[in-house]
Amino acid sequence: MNNPTIQAILSRRSVRKYLSTPISDEYIQLIVNSGLYAPSAKNKQNWHFTVISDKETIEKINGLTMIGMEKLGIEKEEGYHVFYHAPLVIVLSSVIEGYSGLNAGCAIENMAIAAKSLGIDSCIIGQTRYMYHQANQVDINRLLKIPEGYEHDCSICFGYIDGDAPEPKPRKQDLVDYIR
Amino acid sequence: MNNPTIQAILSRRSVRKYLSTPISDEYIQLIVNSGLYAPSAKNKQNWHFTVISDKETIEKINGLTMIGMEKLGIEKEEGYHVFYHAPLVIVLSSVIEGYSGLNAGCAIENMAIAAKSLGIDSCIIGQTRYMYHQANQVDINRLLKIPEGYEHDCSICFGYIDGDAPEPKPRKQDLVDYIR
């Protein structure tokens, strides 16, 4: 079946090697807008997006995350970069409520799929939460323009892939039951 | 821009009026598979999908949810049906962990977008959680084939829309900040 949307969904991979090629403003807008059009429980839209293409800020977040990981004793490979040197990062924050994780997932996946349809790969990053284990939360939230009352959920980095897409990890098919 | 994927993302609505027309097995497989190909933290795939096209089971879930809502004093309109009489329901359950809400959101949004690309509408339902406020959890989990160790997250119903698609709710554009 020639369905480009399902093709984008099935061919999305968590990509960990990027070219430095920047993403155009037009494409950034399409990606962000796709996130904004995600569903949210009771239409609360209780999320905040920080869209970062400034290399210096990306490096700052990487550094803060590294220090947090070190403090927590989490090992990482030599030369590890939390965003794999991707040129665009979106930090997602939420007013934490019963369904905020679910809402955030919908928003971030919309952005990943929209990007894929534009030939742009991505990786969802939970590790940026570790930033908060080393410094003043207020300072980090100021750096990332996270409004008061919002908590950092996760990040997603975007870029053009360097090399070939990884093979998909095998899916657990035994986790589907049918009631027909 | 003629991008069918972004078009599917932007035109997805939470639809609350369905025809009784069933969804073909081929389309159900495409939708479920799209859910299974969602990303999950550390590739844990810590989800379980119960795919329900059996009308009797759908009505049972509706009834149990209603009783739960009544016990909690949650008001509902006359004739309310938690799935709006949609012919297909997928119940999503997870092993609850730090990122399970985010994972579930990615999976459920993949299914909503895949369905939209096939001309099928959907609505994500959190209310089925109320089932657990009225009866034996083990009985409900047996009815819904939810494996031990998994907790019910949310549901999503699918069907062909009856009538026109609702207008999108206005999006809050002030919740995006840029660091360029």
Side-chain angles (χ1 to χ4, degrees), chain A residues 1 3-6 9-10 12 26-27 29-30 32-34 36-39 43-45 47-54 57 98-99 101-102 104-106 108-110 113-114 117-118 124 126 129 143 145 150 154 168-173 175-180, chain B residues 1 3-6 9-10 12 26-27 29-30 32-34 36-39 43-45 47-54 57 98-99 101-102 104-106 108-110 113-114 117-118 124 126 129 143 145 150 154 168-173 175-180:
Chain A
M1 172 185 275
N3 179 311
T5 303
I6 293 180
I9 289 172
L10 299 184
R12 183 213 53 79
E26 184 200 354
Y27 279 13
Q29 280 315 311
L30 289 168
V32 171
N33 210 34
S34 295
L36 289 170
Y37 269 79
N43 189 36
K44 282 199 175 169
Q45 302 179 43
W47 44 48
H48 176 269
F49 301 70
T50 311
V51 183
I52 311 167
S53 49
D54 173 51
T57 307
Y99 293 98
L102 199 74
C106 290
I108 216 151
E109 184 65 359
N110 264 10
I113 300 303
S117 79
L118 297 167
I124 300 172
R129 291 186 185 179
L143 169 72
K145 301 191 175 186
Y150 288 74
C154 64
K169 303 267 174 60
R171 310 324 279 188
K172 298 181 185 167
Q173 296 286 341
L175 290 178
V176 184
D177 279 294
Y178 292 86
I179 304 176
R180 295 185 168 105
Chain B
M1 171 184 279
N3 179 311
T5 303
I6 293 179
I9 288 171
L10 299 184
R12 183 213 54 78
E26 184 200 353
Y27 279 14
Q29 280 314 311
L30 289 169
V32 171
N33 210 34
S34 295
L36 289 170
Y37 270 78
N43 189 37
K44 283 200 175 168
Q45 302 179 44
W47 44 47
H48 176 269
F49 301 71
T50 311
V51 184
I52 311 168
S53 48
D54 174 52
T57 307
Y99 294 98
L102 200 74
C106 291
I108 216 151
E109 184 65 0
N110 265 10
I113 299 304
S117 79
L118 297 166
I124 300 172
R129 292 187 185 178
L143 169 73
K145 300 190 176 188
Y150 288 74
C154 63
K169 303 267 174 60
R171 312 320 281 187
K172 298 180 185 166
Q173 297 285 343
L175 291 178
V176 184
D177 278 294
Y178 293 85
I179 304 176
R180 296 186 167 103

Side-chain angles (χ1 to χ4, degrees), chain B residues 57-111:
Chain B
T57 307
I58 291 175
E59 291 310 319
K60 263 188 204 163
I61 301 172
N62 178 53
L64 290 166
T65 305
M66 293 296 207
I67 300 171
M69 286 171 79
E70 214 165 278
K71 281 223 172 162
L72 290 166
I74 298 165
E75 291 192 18
K76 49 196 183 301
E77 288 167 36
E78 183 72 28
Y80 180 72
H81 188 285
V82 70
F83 301 123
Y84 312 101
H85 306 285
L88 177 69
V89 170
I90 297 180
V91 170
L92 199 68
S93 311
S94 300
V95 178
I96 305 299
E97 292 171 297
Y99 294 98
S100 53
L102 200 74
N103 297 347
C106 291
I108 216 151
E109 184 65 0
N110 265 10
M111 295 195 284

